Short mmCIF file of all heavy atoms in Angstrom, two decimals:
data_model
loop_
_atom_site.label_atom_id
_atom_site.label_comp_id
_atom_site.label_asym_id
_atom_site.label_seq_id
_atom_site.Cartn_x
_atom_site.Cartn_y
_atom_site.Cartn_z
N ARG Y 424 26.37 -32.55 -24.84
CA ARG Y 424 26.08 -32.21 -23.41
C ARG Y 424 27.35 -32.17 -22.56
O ARG Y 424 27.50 -31.34 -21.71
CB ARG Y 424 25.09 -33.20 -22.82
CG ARG Y 424 23.69 -33.19 -23.49
CD ARG Y 424 22.93 -31.94 -23.17
NE ARG Y 424 21.57 -32.00 -23.71
CZ ARG Y 424 20.51 -32.47 -23.08
NH1 ARG Y 424 20.62 -32.99 -21.87
NH2 ARG Y 424 19.33 -32.49 -23.65
N LEU Y 425 28.23 -33.19 -22.78
CA LEU Y 425 29.44 -33.24 -21.99
C LEU Y 425 30.34 -31.99 -22.25
O LEU Y 425 31.06 -31.57 -21.39
CB LEU Y 425 30.26 -34.49 -22.33
CG LEU Y 425 29.64 -35.80 -21.80
CD1 LEU Y 425 30.39 -37.04 -22.39
CD2 LEU Y 425 29.65 -35.85 -20.31
N LEU Y 426 30.26 -31.48 -23.47
CA LEU Y 426 31.11 -30.35 -23.81
C LEU Y 426 30.46 -29.02 -23.46
O LEU Y 426 31.11 -27.96 -23.53
CB LEU Y 426 31.41 -30.34 -25.34
CG LEU Y 426 32.26 -31.54 -25.82
CD1 LEU Y 426 32.34 -31.54 -27.32
CD2 LEU Y 426 33.65 -31.48 -25.18
N ASP Y 427 29.21 -29.00 -23.06
CA ASP Y 427 28.47 -27.77 -22.79
C ASP Y 427 28.91 -27.26 -21.42
O ASP Y 427 28.79 -27.97 -20.40
CB ASP Y 427 26.95 -28.09 -22.74
CG ASP Y 427 26.14 -26.79 -22.67
OD1 ASP Y 427 26.68 -25.77 -22.29
OD2 ASP Y 427 24.97 -26.82 -23.01
N PRO Y 428 29.46 -26.01 -21.31
CA PRO Y 428 29.87 -25.44 -20.02
C PRO Y 428 28.72 -25.44 -18.99
O PRO Y 428 29.00 -25.45 -17.79
CB PRO Y 428 30.36 -24.08 -20.36
CG PRO Y 428 30.66 -24.13 -21.82
CD PRO Y 428 29.74 -25.11 -22.40
N GLU Y 429 27.51 -25.36 -19.48
CA GLU Y 429 26.32 -25.31 -18.56
C GLU Y 429 26.20 -26.61 -17.75
O GLU Y 429 25.54 -26.64 -16.71
CB GLU Y 429 25.05 -25.11 -19.38
CG GLU Y 429 24.98 -23.74 -20.09
CD GLU Y 429 24.97 -22.59 -19.09
OE1 GLU Y 429 24.33 -22.71 -18.03
OE2 GLU Y 429 25.62 -21.53 -19.39
N THR Y 430 26.81 -27.72 -18.20
CA THR Y 430 26.77 -28.93 -17.55
C THR Y 430 27.60 -28.95 -16.25
O THR Y 430 27.29 -29.66 -15.29
CB THR Y 430 27.22 -30.10 -18.42
OG1 THR Y 430 26.44 -30.12 -19.62
CG2 THR Y 430 27.14 -31.45 -17.73
N HIS Y 431 28.62 -28.09 -16.19
CA HIS Y 431 29.52 -27.98 -15.01
C HIS Y 431 30.06 -29.31 -14.63
O HIS Y 431 30.11 -29.62 -13.38
CB HIS Y 431 28.74 -27.30 -13.86
CG HIS Y 431 28.29 -25.93 -14.15
ND1 HIS Y 431 29.14 -24.85 -14.33
CD2 HIS Y 431 27.05 -25.42 -14.31
CE1 HIS Y 431 28.45 -23.76 -14.61
NE2 HIS Y 431 27.16 -24.08 -14.58
N LEU Y 432 30.48 -30.12 -15.58
CA LEU Y 432 31.06 -31.40 -15.25
C LEU Y 432 32.57 -31.24 -15.16
O LEU Y 432 33.25 -30.91 -16.09
CB LEU Y 432 30.77 -32.43 -16.38
CG LEU Y 432 31.20 -33.85 -16.15
CD1 LEU Y 432 30.48 -34.43 -14.91
CD2 LEU Y 432 30.94 -34.71 -17.37
N GLY Y 433 33.05 -31.44 -13.92
CA GLY Y 433 34.50 -31.17 -13.63
C GLY Y 433 35.41 -32.17 -14.29
O GLY Y 433 35.15 -33.36 -14.36
N LYS Y 434 36.51 -31.65 -14.85
CA LYS Y 434 37.60 -32.45 -15.41
C LYS Y 434 38.84 -32.18 -14.59
O LYS Y 434 39.24 -31.05 -14.42
CB LYS Y 434 37.79 -32.13 -16.85
CG LYS Y 434 36.61 -32.36 -17.73
CD LYS Y 434 36.78 -31.89 -19.16
CE LYS Y 434 35.57 -32.15 -20.03
NZ LYS Y 434 34.39 -31.30 -19.60
N VAL Y 435 39.46 -33.23 -14.07
CA VAL Y 435 40.57 -33.14 -13.14
C VAL Y 435 41.88 -33.51 -13.86
O VAL Y 435 41.98 -34.55 -14.50
CB VAL Y 435 40.37 -33.97 -11.88
CG1 VAL Y 435 41.59 -33.87 -10.96
CG2 VAL Y 435 39.12 -33.54 -11.15
N TYR Y 436 42.92 -32.67 -13.62
CA TYR Y 436 44.23 -32.89 -14.24
C TYR Y 436 45.29 -32.84 -13.16
O TYR Y 436 45.24 -32.10 -12.22
CB TYR Y 436 44.51 -31.71 -15.21
CG TYR Y 436 43.51 -31.54 -16.31
CD1 TYR Y 436 42.26 -30.94 -16.08
CD2 TYR Y 436 43.77 -32.02 -17.59
CE1 TYR Y 436 41.34 -30.82 -17.13
CE2 TYR Y 436 42.83 -31.89 -18.62
CZ TYR Y 436 41.63 -31.27 -18.37
OH TYR Y 436 40.69 -31.15 -19.34
N HIS Y 437 46.30 -33.67 -13.39
CA HIS Y 437 47.53 -33.65 -12.56
C HIS Y 437 48.59 -33.03 -13.42
O HIS Y 437 48.86 -33.44 -14.57
CB HIS Y 437 47.95 -35.04 -12.14
CG HIS Y 437 47.06 -35.61 -11.05
ND1 HIS Y 437 47.19 -36.86 -10.51
CD2 HIS Y 437 46.01 -35.02 -10.39
CE1 HIS Y 437 46.27 -37.05 -9.58
NE2 HIS Y 437 45.55 -35.95 -9.48
N VAL Y 438 49.20 -31.98 -12.93
CA VAL Y 438 50.11 -31.14 -13.72
C VAL Y 438 51.43 -30.97 -12.99
O VAL Y 438 51.48 -30.62 -11.82
CB VAL Y 438 49.49 -29.75 -13.93
CG1 VAL Y 438 50.38 -28.96 -14.94
CG2 VAL Y 438 48.05 -29.79 -14.42
N GLN Y 439 52.49 -31.28 -13.70
CA GLN Y 439 53.86 -31.07 -13.14
C GLN Y 439 54.45 -29.80 -13.72
O GLN Y 439 54.51 -29.62 -14.97
CB GLN Y 439 54.78 -32.28 -13.53
CG GLN Y 439 56.13 -32.15 -12.96
CD GLN Y 439 57.08 -33.30 -13.47
OE1 GLN Y 439 57.02 -33.66 -14.62
NE2 GLN Y 439 57.97 -33.79 -12.56
N VAL Y 440 54.83 -28.91 -12.86
CA VAL Y 440 55.41 -27.61 -13.32
C VAL Y 440 56.86 -27.49 -12.86
O VAL Y 440 57.24 -28.04 -11.80
CB VAL Y 440 54.59 -26.44 -12.82
CG1 VAL Y 440 53.17 -26.47 -13.35
CG2 VAL Y 440 54.59 -26.35 -11.28
N ALA Y 441 57.67 -26.77 -13.63
CA ALA Y 441 59.04 -26.55 -13.26
C ALA Y 441 59.06 -25.54 -12.08
O ALA Y 441 58.36 -24.50 -12.14
CB ALA Y 441 59.84 -26.03 -14.41
N GLY Y 442 59.88 -25.79 -11.09
CA GLY Y 442 59.97 -24.88 -9.96
C GLY Y 442 58.93 -25.15 -8.89
O GLY Y 442 58.21 -26.16 -8.88
N GLN Y 443 58.83 -24.24 -7.95
CA GLN Y 443 57.95 -24.36 -6.83
C GLN Y 443 56.79 -23.36 -6.99
O GLN Y 443 57.03 -22.13 -7.01
CB GLN Y 443 58.66 -24.14 -5.52
CG GLN Y 443 59.71 -25.19 -5.21
CD GLN Y 443 60.46 -24.91 -3.94
OE1 GLN Y 443 60.82 -23.75 -3.63
NE2 GLN Y 443 60.69 -25.93 -3.15
N ILE Y 444 55.57 -23.83 -7.09
CA ILE Y 444 54.41 -22.92 -7.21
C ILE Y 444 53.77 -22.80 -5.86
O ILE Y 444 53.58 -23.78 -5.15
CB ILE Y 444 53.44 -23.47 -8.27
CG1 ILE Y 444 52.31 -22.45 -8.54
CG2 ILE Y 444 52.87 -24.83 -7.91
CD1 ILE Y 444 51.49 -22.84 -9.77
N GLY Y 445 53.47 -21.57 -5.51
CA GLY Y 445 52.91 -21.28 -4.13
C GLY Y 445 51.38 -21.22 -4.11
O GLY Y 445 50.71 -21.20 -5.11
N ASP Y 446 50.89 -21.17 -2.88
CA ASP Y 446 49.40 -21.10 -2.66
C ASP Y 446 48.81 -19.83 -3.30
O ASP Y 446 47.68 -19.88 -3.80
CB ASP Y 446 49.09 -21.13 -1.18
CG ASP Y 446 49.38 -22.45 -0.53
OD1 ASP Y 446 49.40 -23.48 -1.26
OD2 ASP Y 446 49.60 -22.49 0.68
N ASP Y 447 49.57 -18.76 -3.29
CA ASP Y 447 49.03 -17.50 -3.90
C ASP Y 447 48.79 -17.68 -5.36
O ASP Y 447 47.76 -17.20 -5.92
CB ASP Y 447 50.03 -16.35 -3.64
CG ASP Y 447 50.07 -15.86 -2.19
OD1 ASP Y 447 49.10 -16.24 -1.47
OD2 ASP Y 447 51.04 -15.21 -1.83
N GLN Y 448 49.70 -18.31 -6.08
CA GLN Y 448 49.53 -18.55 -7.51
C GLN Y 448 48.36 -19.50 -7.77
O GLN Y 448 47.55 -19.28 -8.72
CB GLN Y 448 50.77 -19.13 -8.13
CG GLN Y 448 51.88 -18.12 -8.34
CD GLN Y 448 52.86 -18.12 -7.18
OE1 GLN Y 448 52.63 -18.78 -6.15
NE2 GLN Y 448 53.95 -17.39 -7.27
N LEU Y 449 48.16 -20.54 -6.96
CA LEU Y 449 47.04 -21.40 -7.11
C LEU Y 449 45.72 -20.69 -6.84
O LEU Y 449 44.75 -20.93 -7.56
CB LEU Y 449 47.18 -22.60 -6.12
CG LEU Y 449 48.41 -23.54 -6.37
CD1 LEU Y 449 48.35 -24.66 -5.35
CD2 LEU Y 449 48.42 -24.08 -7.76
N LYS Y 450 45.71 -19.78 -5.89
CA LYS Y 450 44.50 -18.97 -5.67
C LYS Y 450 44.24 -18.07 -6.82
O LYS Y 450 43.04 -17.85 -7.15
CB LYS Y 450 44.70 -18.14 -4.36
CG LYS Y 450 44.64 -18.98 -3.10
CD LYS Y 450 44.93 -18.13 -1.86
CE LYS Y 450 44.91 -18.96 -0.57
NZ LYS Y 450 45.22 -18.15 0.63
N GLN Y 451 45.26 -17.58 -7.48
CA GLN Y 451 45.07 -16.74 -8.70
C GLN Y 451 44.38 -17.53 -9.78
O GLN Y 451 43.56 -17.01 -10.52
CB GLN Y 451 46.43 -16.20 -9.19
CG GLN Y 451 46.93 -14.96 -8.47
CD GLN Y 451 48.21 -14.46 -9.08
OE1 GLN Y 451 49.30 -14.75 -8.59
NE2 GLN Y 451 48.05 -13.71 -10.15
N MET Y 452 44.77 -18.77 -9.92
CA MET Y 452 44.17 -19.62 -10.97
C MET Y 452 42.69 -19.78 -10.74
O MET Y 452 41.88 -19.84 -11.71
CB MET Y 452 44.85 -21.01 -11.01
CG MET Y 452 46.30 -20.95 -11.46
SD MET Y 452 47.15 -22.56 -11.40
CE MET Y 452 46.26 -23.42 -12.77
N VAL Y 453 42.26 -19.86 -9.51
CA VAL Y 453 40.85 -20.00 -9.18
C VAL Y 453 40.11 -18.66 -9.34
O VAL Y 453 39.02 -18.60 -9.84
CB VAL Y 453 40.66 -20.57 -7.75
CG1 VAL Y 453 39.19 -20.58 -7.40
CG2 VAL Y 453 41.24 -21.96 -7.65
N ALA Y 454 40.78 -17.59 -8.91
CA ALA Y 454 40.13 -16.26 -8.98
C ALA Y 454 39.98 -15.82 -10.44
O ALA Y 454 39.05 -15.09 -10.78
CB ALA Y 454 40.98 -15.24 -8.22
N GLY Y 455 40.94 -16.20 -11.28
CA GLY Y 455 40.87 -15.83 -12.72
C GLY Y 455 42.11 -15.12 -13.15
O GLY Y 455 42.65 -14.27 -12.48
#
């Protein structure tokens, strides 16, 4: 059940990326 996408149980990650990532790129990640 935990692995089933239908459950919609959010998993939160903290990610360090090289350089400066902008709001536009973050919005792209949400849009797809």
Side-chain angles (χ1 to χ4, degrees):
R424 294 289 185 90
L425 288 172
L426 295 173
D427 189 341
E429 295 296 321
T430 302
H431 299 293
L432 185 63
K434 300 175 180 65
V435 178
Y436 302 79
H437 287 177
V438 188
Q439 183 187 37
V440 298
Q443 297 177 317
I444 187 168
D446 290 336
D447 288 343
Q448 285 94 351
L449 296 181
K450 288 178 182 178
Q451 278 184 263
M452 293 178 70
V453 175

